[in-house]
């Protein structure tokens, strides 16, 4: 009984930020966004994944960062969707996922593994019963949890000297990443943009992976590259001059080879970030990346590589839905912003009056999701 109580305490300490954000975001998606319950739960699971990635920087900051993502214009654009699905369908999906989660938790006494398995079951059931090909919501969900596993593994494999000895990532990290990456590529080949960060992260795990793992990853990479070429490349638009496309305000769901050379495309990409999180948020992201690269180089390098891959795609892609397709980039932006506030809070704690100033950083950061929420409700 004591062992069970200890597990419950660990579970509560670890997952409370995700549970809080999950409840708040689900309520907002359903009531403010008029989103069907099952779709709202899928979106909330994505926000929970990002929140859990931020948990290492403090529970309060994780909650604020998660809500900032949930209320950002690009993420909020996925809400809505018409009539509610049948209640029986909702109960079937949630019931099967919850039952599988509880069973695995009882067998292994590992809440994290149980929740991870439950999330995978939810994804598979969601995909099979309500999903559509190239589902943006499913891509968002898989990206969020892939970032969580990747960052968590890099943190434990490459801790700061004062944080203790390194620990090799477990099977839940390596197999989980392969599974999520495979599901992501099968859903939308654009998920291949996560490949550079994934490969770099695996190399920095300091663990020997079997040959079959690399072979399976190579197969998924080939499938993803081929699929992305078929979906996002067109022989006519690939060589179309980007400058001419900008001048004529051409918007097509394809990439143009010289888009990255066009200065206005860089302005457009920066504007996407500013429109989501304001200019202050964009600046916080720069500060956060610099601090993260200084104190946690592997995490900084992996997230910067993923960010760069999506940024390059954003420069070359001329579709109207670019801001939504760049949600993985925005998730990383939230992570960098949160770490910047965390670093500022650490600096304040070293000041003369830490007890008076420790609340200043999270209090100021709270203004961001509040501002975004006011935009949604028409109050700002």
């Amino acid at each position: 009984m004591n062992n069970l109580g200890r597990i419950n305490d660990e579970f509560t300490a670890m997952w409370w930020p995700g549970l809080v954000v999950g409840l708040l975001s689900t309520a907002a998606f359903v009531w403010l966004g008029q989103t069907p319950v099952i779709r709202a739960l899928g979106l909330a699971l994505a926000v929970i994944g990002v929140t859990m990635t931020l948990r290492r920087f403090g529970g309060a900051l994780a909650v604020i960062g998660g809500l900032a993502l949930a209320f950002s214009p690009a993420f909020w654009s996925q809400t809505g969707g018409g009539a509610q699905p049948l209640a029986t369908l909702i109960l079937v999906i949630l019931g099967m996922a919850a039952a599988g989660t509880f069973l695995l938790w009882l067998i292994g006494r590992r809440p994290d593994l149980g929740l991870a398995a439950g999330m995978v079951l939810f994804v598979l059931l969601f995909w099979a019963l309500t999903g559509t090909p190239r589902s943006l919501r499913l891509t968002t969900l898989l990206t969020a949890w892939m970032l969580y596993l990747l960052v968590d593994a890099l943190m434990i494999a490459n801790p700061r000297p004062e944080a203790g000895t390194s620990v090799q990532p477990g099977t839940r990290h390596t197999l989980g990443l392969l599974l999520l990456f495979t599901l992501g590529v099968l859903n939308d080949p654009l998920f291949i943009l996560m490949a550079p960060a994934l490969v770099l992260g695996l190399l920095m795990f300091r663990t020997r992976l079997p040959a079959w793992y690399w072979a399976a990853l190579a197969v998924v990479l080939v499938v993803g590259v081929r699929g992305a070429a078929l979906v996002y490349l067109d022989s006519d638009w690939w060589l179309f001059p980007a400058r001419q496309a900008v001048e004529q305000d051409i918007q097509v769901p394809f990439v143009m080879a010289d888009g990255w050379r066009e200065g206005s495309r860089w302005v457009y990409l920066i504007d996407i970030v500013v429109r989501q999180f304001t200019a202050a948020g964009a600046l916080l992201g720069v500060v956060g990346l610099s601090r993260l690269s200084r104190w946690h180089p592997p995490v900084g390098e992996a997230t910067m590589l993923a960010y760069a891959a999506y940024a390059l795609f954003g420069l070359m892609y001329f579709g109207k839905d670019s801001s939504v397709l760049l949600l993985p980039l925005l998730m990383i932006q939230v992570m960098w912003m949160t770490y910047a506030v965390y670093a500022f809070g650490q600096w304040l704690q070293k000041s003369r009056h830490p007890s008076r100033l420790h609340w200043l950083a999270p209090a100021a950061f709270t203004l961001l999701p509040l501002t975004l929420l006011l935009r949604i409700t028409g109050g700002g």
Side-chain angles (χ1 to χ4, degrees), residues 224-243:
V225 171
R226 179 181 180 277
L230 292 174
V231 174
Y232 296 99
L233 291 182
D234 182 275
S235 57
D236 294 330
W237 291 111
W238 173 248
L239 298 178
F240 193 88
R243 179 178 293 274

Side-chain angles (χ1 to χ4, degrees), residues 255-327:
V255 296
M256 301 181 187
D258 63 340
W260 63 275
R261 298 181 179 179
E262 178 59 34
S264 61
R265 296 297 297 174
W266 289 87
V267 175
Y268 169 75
L269 184 64
I270 295 173
D271 184 60
I272 288 179
V273 177
V274 172
R275 280 189 284 113
Q276 307 305 312
F277 306 116
T278 73
L283 180 60
L284 275 178
V286 176
V287 175
L289 173 60
S290 65
R291 293 293 82 200
L292 193 63
S293 299
R294 170 68 176 84
W295 297 111
H296 299 282
V299 177
E301 293 167 6
T303 55
M304 183 168 55
L305 192 56
Y307 195 96
Y310 278 93
L312 181 61
F313 174 79
L315 294 172
M316 300 169 65
Y317 181 73
F318 280 73
K320 295 180 180 180
D321 56 347
S322 58
S323 62
V324 178
L325 293 180
L326 293 178
L327 269 172

Side-chain angles (χ1 to χ4, degrees), residues 351-380:
S351 63
R352 286 188 175 183
H353 307 288
S355 60
R356 300 178 183 178
L357 299 176
H358 74 279
W359 54 268
L360 185 59
F365 196 33
T366 304
L367 295 176
L368 179 58
L370 289 177
T371 300
L372 298 177
L373 182 60
L374 286 176
R375 287 183 183 177
I376 293 170
T377 57

Side-chain angles (χ1 to χ4, degrees), residues 90-371:
I90 300 172
L91 293 176
V92 167
I93 294 178
L94 291 180
M96 293 179 68
T101 301
F102 184 68
L103 180 61
L104 290 170
W105 181 83
L106 286 178
I107 295 174
R109 286 292 191 269
R110 290 290 301 276
D112 52 351
L113 288 179
L115 282 176
M119 186 271 293
V120 172
L121 286 173
F122 183 91
V123 167
L124 294 176
L125 292 168
F126 179 92
W127 196 6
L129 298 176
T130 67
T132 57
R134 293 172 58 193
S135 168
L136 292 174
R137 296 177 181 88
L138 185 55
T139 296
T140 303
L141 174 62
L142 295 172
T143 302
W145 285 95
M146 186 172 174
L147 283 173
Y148 165 71
L149 285 179
L150 182 62
V151 171
D152 188 62
L154 288 173
M155 285 283 193
I156 65 175
N158 304 273
R160 293 177 60 178
E162 69 274 14
T165 58
S166 64
V167 178
Q168 287 190 348
T171 303
R172 68 187 180 98
H173 293 106
T174 54
L175 288 184
L177 286 170
L178 180 60
L179 174 61
L180 293 179
F181 184 67
T182 302
L183 290 173
V185 170
L186 292 177
N187 175 63
D188 186 349
L190 187 64
F191 207 84
I192 200 71
L193 293 176
M194 289 296 297
L198 173 60
V199 173
L200 178 62
L202 291 173
L203 294 176
M204 292 190 292
F205 281 2
R206 299 182 179 180
T207 184
R208 185 180 180 85
L209 295 172
W212 67 262
Y213 186 98
W214 293 109
L217 182 59
V219 171
V220 178
L221 288 173
V222 171
V223 171
V225 171
R226 179 181 180 277
L230 292 174
V231 174
Y232 296 99
L233 291 182
D234 182 275
S235 57
D236 294 330
W237 291 111
W238 173 248
L239 298 178
F240 193 88
R243 179 178 293 274
Q244 183 177 343
V246 171
E247 292 174 350
Q248 299 179 6
D249 193 25
I250 294 176
Q251 294 181 320
V252 291
F254 301 107
V255 296
M256 301 181 187
D258 63 340
W260 63 275
R261 298 181 179 179
E262 178 59 34
S264 61
R265 296 297 297 174
W266 289 87
V267 175
Y268 169 75
L269 184 64
I270 295 173
D271 184 60
I272 288 179
V273 177
V274 172
R275 280 189 284 113
Q276 307 305 312
F277 306 116
T278 73
L283 180 60
L284 275 178
V286 176
V287 175
L289 173 60
S290 65
R291 293 293 82 200
L292 193 63
S293 299
R294 170 68 176 84
W295 297 111
H296 299 282
V299 177
E301 293 167 6
T303 55
M304 183 168 55
L305 192 56
Y307 195 96
Y310 278 93
L312 181 61
F313 174 79
L315 294 172
M316 300 169 65
Y317 181 73
F318 280 73
K320 295 180 180 180
D321 56 347
S322 58
S323 62
V324 178
L325 293 180
L326 293 178
L327 269 172
L329 178 149
L330 300 178
M331 292 179 186
I332 298 172
Q333 180 76 24
V334 168
M335 178 180 175
W336 291 349
M337 289 160 44
T338 306
Y339 191 79
V341 178
Y342 169 76
F344 181 62
Q346 293 295 300
W347 176 74
L348 287 178
Q349 287 185 1
K350 298 177 182 179
S351 63
R352 286 188 175 183
H353 307 288
S355 60
R356 300 178 183 178
L357 299 176
H358 74 279
W359 54 268
L360 185 59
F365 196 33
T366 304
L367 295 176
L368 179 58
L370 289 177
T371 300

Side-chain angles (χ1 to χ4, degrees), residues 4-87:
L4 182 60
R6 180 183 58 81
I7 292 175
N8 289 333
D9 290 342
E10 293 176 354
F11 173 84
T12 303
M14 176 179 179
W15 288 94
W16 77 262
L19 295 175
V20 170
V21 170
L23 291 172
L24 293 176
S25 59
T26 300
F29 296 152
V30 172
W31 291 330
L32 297 179
Q34 298 297 307
T35 309
V37 174
I38 188 62
R39 186 172 298 168
L41 290 171
L43 292 174
L45 275 176
V47 179
I48 291 173
V50 173
T51 303
M52 294 310 300
T53 304
L54 306 177
R55 179 185 55 83
R56 290 179 177 272
F57 312 143
L61 292 181
V63 170
I64 298 169
L67 292 177
L69 174 67
F71 299 149
S72 64
F75 197 95
W76 191 261
S77 67
Q78 298 184 92
T79 61
Q84 298 280 349
L86 295 176

